Amino acid sequence: MNTEKFHMFRNRLVKVYKHIHKQARRQNITCYRVYDHDLPEFPFCIEIYEDHIYLAEYKRRHSLTEEEHEQWLEDCIVIISEILELPSDNVFIKQRQRKAGRLGQYQRVDTTDAFFDVKEAGLNFKVNLSDYLDTGLFLDHRITRGMVRDAAAGKRVLNLFCYTGSFSVYAAAGNAASVTSVDLSKTYLKWAEDNMQLNNFYDPRKHHFLHADVLQYLDTLEPDSFDLVILDPPTFSNSKRMKDFLDIQADHVSLLNKTLKALSPDGVIYFSTNYRKFELDRERIHTPSVRDITNATTPFDFQGKLFRWCYRLEA
């Protein structure tokens, strides 16, 4: 690749980093996205996790040989490291498909066990930038997590498809009466439990971690079981451990209605999906109030680049 293209990349990165870093520092945010495929020739997602850089390269067709691609990547890392003012040893590289939704989030891709702790809004979270397709902390839900913490006091909170339990930690920080976290992955449930313990919140009488298929679990719930539910499912899931496969466009009405049925009379659901073409079927959902809060929950470092939807539903 010619030096002119590298020069374009350098200039773009300098510009976006200066703007985003300033806002992050003003808001005391230490984990944030810097760059996401801004230039087609440099198909990266670049995020900062305190003094580490997460660099995901989206797979694409190119004419480079394997050796040329390695050299190109090394040259990019030199530029990224220099502009973000962090050593190249602190760069964690991931190669991933560009695809709709979090399709393979439960797949392990490496085995370096590079876990470390970061802070967000005064809370601690365990992240891993090398071993999984995602880092353990979805930065795009920073504001949504804050909403949950603000609403959690005295509430019975349910976190479905809980992943590493960051919403559960925020709910506990907001003095929830109880927090139930449900996921089909034992690995992520353990991670969620670790995050709760990392913040000295864990109380087995109040905080429950359930290894279960969410679709089947919802069928077991009585009305008025929970006051606040976080529902952030994968776009598709056909895990062998599930009774049925999940397609969020086809299944969201059933999923939401089952969840609404388990809510208290004044209960609230925060529902999110990463499916870009998602269309909410409002007419068939049994709720008096659905509010699209996508824009309200979009952080500064995702403006104009966030491909997910977020809604607030009331019982």
PDB file of all heavy atoms in Angstrom, residues 212-240:
ATOM      1  N   ALA A 212     -29.257 -21.286  31.951  1.00  0.00           N
ATOM      2  CA  ALA A 212     -30.539 -21.703  31.373  1.00  0.00           C
ATOM      3  C   ALA A 212     -30.718 -21.132  29.975  1.00  0.00           C
ATOM      4  O   ALA A 212     -30.124 -20.107  29.612  1.00  0.00           O
ATOM      5  CB  ALA A 212     -31.694 -21.238  32.268  1.00  0.00           C
ATOM      6  N   ASP A 213     -31.567 -21.807  29.214  1.00  0.00           N
ATOM      7  CA  ASP A 213     -32.037 -21.315  27.925  1.00  0.00           C
ATOM      8  C   ASP A 213     -33.109 -20.265  28.232  1.00  0.00           C
ATOM      9  O   ASP A 213     -34.140 -20.585  28.844  1.00  0.00           O
ATOM     10  CB  ASP A 213     -32.619 -22.499  27.143  1.00  0.00           C
ATOM     11  CG  ASP A 213     -33.223 -22.096  25.802  1.00  0.00           C
ATOM     12  OD1 ASP A 213     -33.504 -20.911  25.591  1.00  0.00           O
ATOM     13  OD2 ASP A 213     -33.423 -23.005  24.977  1.00  0.00           O
ATOM     14  N   VAL A 214     -32.870 -19.023  27.837  1.00  0.00           N
ATOM     15  CA  VAL A 214     -33.781 -17.924  28.181  1.00  0.00           C
ATOM     16  C   VAL A 214     -35.210 -18.214  27.724  1.00  0.00           C
ATOM     17  O   VAL A 214     -36.174 -17.953  28.450  1.00  0.00           O
ATOM     18  CB  VAL A 214     -33.274 -16.590  27.580  1.00  0.00           C
ATOM     19  CG1 VAL A 214     -34.359 -15.512  27.606  1.00  0.00           C
ATOM     20  CG2 VAL A 214     -32.040 -16.106  28.338  1.00  0.00           C
ATOM     21  N   LEU A 215     -35.370 -18.754  26.522  1.00  0.00           N
ATOM     22  CA  LEU A 215     -36.708 -19.005  25.984  1.00  0.00           C
ATOM     23  C   LEU A 215     -37.490 -19.972  26.865  1.00  0.00           C
ATOM     24  O   LEU A 215     -38.686 -19.778  27.126  1.00  0.00           O
ATOM     25  CB  LEU A 215     -36.613 -19.547  24.556  1.00  0.00           C
ATOM     26  CG  LEU A 215     -35.886 -18.647  23.544  1.00  0.00           C
ATOM     27  CD1 LEU A 215     -35.833 -19.308  22.176  1.00  0.00           C
ATOM     28  CD2 LEU A 215     -36.562 -17.292  23.436  1.00  0.00           C
ATOM     29  N   GLN A 216     -36.812 -21.011  27.341  1.00  0.00           N
ATOM     30  CA  GLN A 216     -37.487 -21.968  28.232  1.00  0.00           C
ATOM     31  C   GLN A 216     -37.673 -21.376  29.631  1.00  0.00           C
ATOM     32  O   GLN A 216     -38.699 -21.607  30.279  1.00  0.00           O
ATOM     33  CB  GLN A 216     -36.676 -23.258  28.318  1.00  0.00           C
ATOM     34  CG  GLN A 216     -36.667 -24.052  27.022  1.00  0.00           C
ATOM     35  CD  GLN A 216     -35.898 -25.344  27.161  1.00  0.00           C
ATOM     36  OE1 GLN A 216     -36.267 -26.215  27.956  1.00  0.00           O
ATOM     37  NE2 GLN A 216     -34.817 -25.479  26.409  1.00  0.00           N
ATOM     38  N   TYR A 217     -36.682 -20.615  30.104  1.00  0.00           N
ATOM     39  CA  TYR A 217     -36.747 -20.013  31.437  1.00  0.00           C
ATOM     40  C   TYR A 217     -37.958 -19.084  31.560  1.00  0.00           C
ATOM     41  O   TYR A 217     -38.678 -19.104  32.575  1.00  0.00           O
ATOM     42  CB  TYR A 217     -35.449 -19.249  31.723  1.00  0.00           C
ATOM     43  CG  TYR A 217     -35.498 -18.411  32.972  1.00  0.00           C
ATOM     44  CD1 TYR A 217     -35.463 -19.003  34.238  1.00  0.00           C
ATOM     45  CD2 TYR A 217     -35.588 -17.019  32.899  1.00  0.00           C
ATOM     46  CE1 TYR A 217     -35.528 -18.224  35.397  1.00  0.00           C
ATOM     47  CE2 TYR A 217     -35.639 -16.242  34.043  1.00  0.00           C
ATOM     48  CZ  TYR A 217     -35.603 -16.847  35.291  1.00  0.00           C
ATOM     49  OH  TYR A 217     -35.665 -16.079  36.425  1.00  0.00           O
ATOM     50  N   LEU A 218     -38.214 -18.288  30.512  1.00  0.00           N
ATOM     51  CA  LEU A 218     -39.340 -17.349  30.561  1.00  0.00           C
ATOM     52  C   LEU A 218     -40.669 -18.069  30.755  1.00  0.00           C
ATOM     53  O   LEU A 218     -41.585 -17.548  31.396  1.00  0.00           O
ATOM     54  CB  LEU A 218     -39.377 -16.502  29.277  1.00  0.00           C
ATOM     55  CG  LEU A 218     -38.335 -15.383  29.188  1.00  0.00           C
ATOM     56  CD1 LEU A 218     -38.308 -14.782  27.792  1.00  0.00           C
ATOM     57  CD2 LEU A 218     -38.601 -14.290  30.226  1.00  0.00           C
ATOM     58  N   ASP A 219     -40.785 -19.284  30.218  1.00  0.00           N
ATOM     59  CA  ASP A 219     -42.025 -20.056  30.360  1.00  0.00           C
ATOM     60  C   ASP A 219     -42.284 -20.485  31.809  1.00  0.00           C
ATOM     61  O   ASP A 219     -43.412 -20.846  32.155  1.00  0.00           O
ATOM     62  CB  ASP A 219     -41.978 -21.309  29.470  1.00  0.00           C
ATOM     63  CG  ASP A 219     -42.112 -20.963  27.994  1.00  0.00           C
ATOM     64  OD1 ASP A 219     -42.729 -19.929  27.683  1.00  0.00           O
ATOM     65  OD2 ASP A 219     -41.585 -21.726  27.157  1.00  0.00           O
ATOM     66  N   THR A 220     -41.246 -20.449  32.632  1.00  0.00           N
ATOM     67  CA  THR A 220     -41.403 -20.890  34.029  1.00  0.00           C
ATOM     68  C   THR A 220     -41.819 -19.755  34.961  1.00  0.00           C
ATOM     69  O   THR A 220     -42.137 -20.001  36.129  1.00  0.00           O
ATOM     70  CB  THR A 220     -40.085 -21.490  34.573  1.00  0.00           C
ATOM     71  OG1 THR A 220     -39.109 -20.435  34.738  1.00  0.00           O
ATOM     72  CG2 THR A 220     -39.536 -22.559  33.652  1.00  0.00           C
ATOM     73  N   LEU A 221     -41.805 -18.529  34.473  1.00  0.00           N
ATOM     74  CA  LEU A 221     -42.026 -17.379  35.365  1.00  0.00           C
ATOM     75  C   LEU A 221     -43.505 -17.076  35.585  1.00  0.00           C
ATOM     76  O   LEU A 221     -44.314 -17.119  34.659  1.00  0.00           O
ATOM     77  CB  LEU A 221     -41.346 -16.130  34.793  1.00  0.00           C
ATOM     78  CG  LEU A 221     -39.814 -16.186  34.695  1.00  0.00           C
ATOM     79  CD1 LEU A 221     -39.280 -14.884  34.099  1.00  0.00           C
ATOM     80  CD2 LEU A 221     -39.182 -16.437  36.061  1.00  0.00           C
ATOM     81  N   GLU A 222     -43.817 -16.737  36.821  1.00  0.00           N
ATOM     82  CA  GLU A 222     -45.165 -16.293  37.181  1.00  0.00           C
ATOM     83  C   GLU A 222     -45.285 -14.794  36.905  1.00  0.00           C
ATOM     84  O   GLU A 222     -44.276 -14.090  36.868  1.00  0.00           O
ATOM     85  CB  GLU A 222     -45.416 -16.535  38.676  1.00  0.00           C
ATOM     86  CG  GLU A 222     -45.359 -18.002  39.096  1.00  0.00           C
ATOM     87  CD  GLU A 222     -46.534 -18.796  38.550  1.00  0.00           C
ATOM     88  OE1 GLU A 222     -47.633 -18.206  38.408  1.00  0.00           O
ATOM     89  OE2 GLU A 222     -46.350 -19.993  38.264  1.00  0.00           O
ATOM     90  N   PRO A 223     -46.510 -14.280  36.748  1.00  0.00           N
ATOM     91  CA  PRO A 223     -46.679 -12.817  36.661  1.00  0.00           C
ATOM     92  C   PRO A 223     -46.128 -12.136  37.920  1.00  0.00           C
ATOM     93  O   PRO A 223     -46.097 -12.738  38.991  1.00  0.00           O
ATOM     94  CB  PRO A 223     -48.199 -12.648  36.553  1.00  0.00           C
ATOM     95  CG  PRO A 223     -48.697 -13.948  36.009  1.00  0.00           C
ATOM     96  CD  PRO A 223     -47.773 -14.996  36.573  1.00  0.00           C
ATOM     97  N   ASP A 224     -45.694 -10.904  37.774  1.00  0.00           N
ATOM     98  CA  ASP A 224     -45.168 -10.106  38.886  1.00  0.00           C
ATOM     99  C   ASP A 224     -43.912 -10.747  39.508  1.00  0.00           C
ATOM    100  O   ASP A 224     -43.730 -10.738  40.722  1.00  0.00           O
ATOM    101  CB  ASP A 224     -46.249  -9.896  39.947  1.00  0.00           C
ATOM    102  CG  ASP A 224     -45.886  -8.787  40.945  1.00  0.00           C
ATOM    103  OD1 ASP A 224     -44.928  -8.027  40.666  1.00  0.00           O
ATOM    104  OD2 ASP A 224     -46.536  -8.698  42.000  1.00  0.00           O
ATOM    105  N   SER A 225     -43.057 -11.309  38.671  1.00  0.00           N
ATOM    106  CA  SER A 225     -41.811 -11.910  39.168  1.00  0.00           C
ATOM    107  C   SER A 225     -40.673 -10.889  39.233  1.00  0.00           C
ATOM    108  O   SER A 225     -39.778 -11.007  40.077  1.00  0.00           O
ATOM    109  CB  SER A 225     -41.374 -13.066  38.259  1.00  0.00           C
ATOM    110  OG  SER A 225     -42.262 -14.152  38.356  1.00  0.00           O
ATOM    111  N   PHE A 226     -40.716  -9.887  38.316  1.00  0.00           N
ATOM    112  CA  PHE A 226     -39.623  -8.904  38.238  1.00  0.00           C
ATOM    113  C   PHE A 226     -40.175  -7.517  37.953  1.00  0.00           C
ATOM    114  O   PHE A 226     -41.266  -7.367  37.403  1.00  0.00           O
ATOM    115  CB  PHE A 226     -38.626  -9.300  37.145  1.00  0.00           C
ATOM    116  CG  PHE A 226     -37.852 -10.555  37.467  1.00  0.00           C
ATOM    117  CD1 PHE A 226     -38.251 -11.787  36.958  1.00  0.00           C
ATOM    118  CD2 PHE A 226     -36.741 -10.512  38.298  1.00  0.00           C
ATOM    119  CE1 PHE A 226     -37.567 -12.952  37.270  1.00  0.00           C
ATOM    120  CE2 PHE A 226     -36.043 -11.668  38.615  1.00  0.00           C
ATOM    121  CZ  PHE A 226     -36.451 -12.886  38.099  1.00  0.00           C
ATOM    122  N   ASP A 227     -39.378  -6.510  38.339  1.00  0.00           N
ATOM    123  CA  ASP A 227     -39.774  -5.113  38.137  1.00  0.00           C
ATOM    124  C   ASP A 227     -39.006  -4.445  36.989  1.00  0.00           C
ATOM    125  O   ASP A 227     -39.481  -3.479  36.398  1.00  0.00           O
ATOM    126  CB  ASP A 227     -39.511  -4.290  39.411  1.00  0.00           C
ATOM    127  CG  ASP A 227     -40.103  -4.945  40.644  1.00  0.00           C
ATOM    128  OD1 ASP A 227     -41.327  -5.168  40.648  1.00  0.00           O
ATOM    129  OD2 ASP A 227     -39.339  -5.273  41.578  1.00  0.00           O
ATOM    130  N   LEU A 228     -37.809  -4.944  36.721  1.00  0.00           N
ATOM    131  CA  LEU A 228     -36.946  -4.326  35.715  1.00  0.00           C
ATOM    132  C   LEU A 228     -36.191  -5.435  34.987  1.00  0.00           C
ATOM    133  O   LEU A 228     -35.535  -6.267  35.624  1.00  0.00           O
ATOM    134  CB  LEU A 228     -35.952  -3.366  36.402  1.00  0.00           C
ATOM    135  CG  LEU A 228     -34.896  -2.671  35.558  1.00  0.00           C
ATOM    136  CD1 LEU A 228     -35.536  -1.786  34.494  1.00  0.00           C
ATOM    137  CD2 LEU A 228     -33.982  -1.819  36.443  1.00  0.00           C
ATOM    138  N   VAL A 229     -36.314  -5.455  33.650  1.00  0.00           N
ATOM    139  CA  VAL A 229     -35.677  -6.517  32.863  1.00  0.00           C
ATOM    140  C   VAL A 229     -34.779  -5.907  31.795  1.00  0.00           C
ATOM    141  O   VAL A 229     -35.168  -4.959  31.106  1.00  0.00           O
ATOM    142  CB  VAL A 229     -36.730  -7.433  32.192  1.00  0.00           C
ATOM    143  CG1 VAL A 229     -36.046  -8.531  31.379  1.00  0.00           C
ATOM    144  CG2 VAL A 229     -37.660  -8.049  33.239  1.00  0.00           C
ATOM    145  N   ILE A 230     -33.576  -6.462  31.655  1.00  0.00           N
ATOM    146  CA  ILE A 230     -32.681  -6.103  30.561  1.00  0.00           C
ATOM    147  C   ILE A 230     -32.679  -7.266  29.585  1.00  0.00           C
ATOM    148  O   ILE A 230     -32.431  -8.404  29.952  1.00  0.00           O
ATOM    149  CB  ILE A 230     -31.229  -5.842  31.047  1.00  0.00           C
ATOM    150  CG1 ILE A 230     -31.200  -4.725  32.086  1.00  0.00           C
ATOM    151  CG2 ILE A 230     -30.321  -5.494  29.872  1.00  0.00           C
ATOM    152  CD1 ILE A 230     -31.108  -5.205  33.504  1.00  0.00           C
ATOM    153  N   LEU A 231     -32.982  -6.977  28.338  1.00  0.00           N
ATOM    154  CA  LEU A 231     -33.111  -8.010  27.308  1.00  0.00           C
ATOM    155  C   LEU A 231     -32.246  -7.591  26.110  1.00  0.00           C
ATOM    156  O   LEU A 231     -32.648  -6.748  25.305  1.00  0.00           O
ATOM    157  CB  LEU A 231     -34.582  -8.138  26.921  1.00  0.00           C
ATOM    158  CG  LEU A 231     -34.999  -9.207  25.928  1.00  0.00           C
ATOM    159  CD1 LEU A 231     -34.591 -10.602  26.387  1.00  0.00           C
ATOM    160  CD2 LEU A 231     -36.508  -9.152  25.705  1.00  0.00           C
ATOM    161  N   ASP A 232     -31.062  -8.178  26.002  1.00  0.00           N
ATOM    162  CA  ASP A 232     -30.127  -7.844  24.920  1.00  0.00           C
ATOM    163  C   ASP A 232     -29.687  -9.147  24.238  1.00  0.00           C
ATOM    164  O   ASP A 232     -28.568  -9.620  24.424  1.00  0.00           O
ATOM    165  CB  ASP A 232     -28.921  -7.082  25.491  1.00  0.00           C
ATOM    166  CG  ASP A 232     -27.971  -6.599  24.400  1.00  0.00           C
ATOM    167  OD1 ASP A 232     -28.396  -6.507  23.234  1.00  0.00           O
ATOM    168  OD2 ASP A 232     -26.795  -6.324  24.709  1.00  0.00           O
ATOM    169  N   PRO A 233     -30.592  -9.754  23.454  1.00  0.00           N
ATOM    170  CA  PRO A 233     -30.314 -11.075  22.882  1.00  0.00           C
ATOM    171  C   PRO A 233     -29.409 -11.004  21.664  1.00  0.00           C
ATOM    172  O   PRO A 233     -29.272  -9.946  21.036  1.00  0.00           O
ATOM    173  CB  PRO A 233     -31.710 -11.564  22.473  1.00  0.00           C
ATOM    174  CG  PRO A 233     -32.472 -10.315  22.210  1.00  0.00           C
ATOM    175  CD  PRO A 233     -31.908  -9.243  23.092  1.00  0.00           C
ATOM    176  N   PRO A 234     -28.802 -12.137  21.284  1.00  0.00           N
ATOM    177  CA  PRO A 234     -28.078 -12.183  20.017  1.00  0.00           C
ATOM    178  C   PRO A 234     -29.076 -12.080  18.859  1.00  0.00           C
ATOM    179  O   PRO A 234     -30.269 -12.337  19.035  1.00  0.00           O
ATOM    180  CB  PRO A 234     -27.397 -13.561  20.041  1.00  0.00           C
ATOM    181  CG  PRO A 234     -28.210 -14.374  20.982  1.00  0.00           C
ATOM    182  CD  PRO A 234     -28.775 -13.422  21.993  1.00  0.00           C
ATOM    183  N   THR A 235     -28.580 -11.692  17.696  1.00  0.00           N
ATOM    184  CA  THR A 235     -29.451 -11.593  16.524  1.00  0.00           C
ATOM    185  C   THR A 235     -29.956 -12.972  16.107  1.00  0.00           C
ATOM    186  O   THR A 235     -31.125 -13.165  15.822  1.00  0.00           O
ATOM    187  CB  THR A 235     -28.685 -10.934  15.360  1.00  0.00           C
ATOM    188  OG1 THR A 235     -28.270  -9.630  15.786  1.00  0.00           O
ATOM    189  CG2 THR A 235     -29.547 -10.795  14.122  1.00  0.00           C
ATOM    190  N   PHE A 236     -29.031 -13.919  16.074  1.00  0.00           N
ATOM    191  CA  PHE A 236     -29.375 -15.315  15.783  1.00  0.00           C
ATOM    192  C   PHE A 236     -28.633 -16.188  16.783  1.00  0.00           C
ATOM    193  O   PHE A 236     -27.520 -15.861  17.193  1.00  0.00           O
ATOM    194  CB  PHE A 236     -28.937 -15.720  14.373  1.00  0.00           C
ATOM    195  CG  PHE A 236     -29.562 -14.920  13.277  1.00  0.00           C
ATOM    196  CD1 PHE A 236     -28.860 -13.899  12.667  1.00  0.00           C
ATOM    197  CD2 PHE A 236     -30.857 -15.176  12.856  1.00  0.00           C
ATOM    198  CE1 PHE A 236     -29.423 -13.148  11.656  1.00  0.00           C
ATOM    199  CE2 PHE A 236     -31.437 -14.433  11.846  1.00  0.00           C
ATOM    200  CZ  PHE A 236     -30.723 -13.415  11.240  1.00  0.00           C
ATOM    201  N   SER A 237     -29.234 -17.291  17.139  1.00  0.00           N
ATOM    202  CA  SER A 237     -28.525 -18.279  17.954  1.00  0.00           C
ATOM    203  C   SER A 237     -29.088 -19.657  17.650  1.00  0.00           C
ATOM    204  O   SER A 237     -30.301 -19.853  17.683  1.00  0.00           O
ATOM    205  CB  SER A 237     -28.674 -17.966  19.440  1.00  0.00           C
ATOM    206  OG  SER A 237     -27.935 -18.898  20.202  1.00  0.00           O
ATOM    207  N   ASN A 238     -28.184 -20.570  17.333  1.00  0.00           N
ATOM    208  CA  ASN A 238     -28.624 -21.953  17.105  1.00  0.00           C
ATOM    209  C   ASN A 238     -27.751 -22.905  17.913  1.00  0.00           C
ATOM    210  O   ASN A 238     -27.374 -23.968  17.454  1.00  0.00           O
ATOM    211  CB  ASN A 238     -28.587 -22.309  15.617  1.00  0.00           C
ATOM    212  CG  ASN A 238     -27.200 -22.137  15.025  1.00  0.00           C
ATOM    213  OD1 ASN A 238     -26.294 -21.667  15.709  1.00  0.00           O
ATOM    214  ND2 ASN A 238     -27.033 -22.521  13.779  1.00  0.00           N
ATOM    215  N   SER A 239     -27.435 -22.456  19.129  1.00  0.00           N
ATOM    216  CA  SER A 239     -26.618 -23.278  20.019  1.00  0.00           C
ATOM    217  C   SER A 239     -27.241 -24.662  20.190  1.00  0.00           C
ATOM    218  O   SER A 239     -28.456 -24.805  20.317  1.00  0.00           O
ATOM    219  CB  SER A 239     -26.494 -22.597  21.385  1.00  0.00           C
ATOM    220  OG  SER A 239     -25.947 -23.482  22.326  1.00  0.00           O
ATOM    221  N   LYS A 240     -26.395 -25.665  20.204  1.00  0.00           N
ATOM    222  CA  LYS A 240     -26.873 -27.039  20.398  1.00  0.00           C
ATOM    223  C   LYS A 240     -27.557 -27.195  21.753  1.00  0.00           C
ATOM    224  O   LYS A 240     -28.347 -28.110  21.962  1.00  0.00           O
ATOM    225  CB  LYS A 240     -25.688 -28.016  20.313  1.00  0.00           C
ATOM    226  CG  LYS A 240     -25.112 -28.123  18.915  1.00  0.00           C
ATOM    227  CD  LYS A 240     -23.849 -28.944  18.920  1.00  0.00           C
ATOM    228  CE  LYS A 240     -23.203 -28.895  17.539  1.00  0.00           C
ATOM    229  NZ  LYS A 240     -21.848 -29.458  17.551  1.00  0.00           N
TER     230      LYS A 240
END
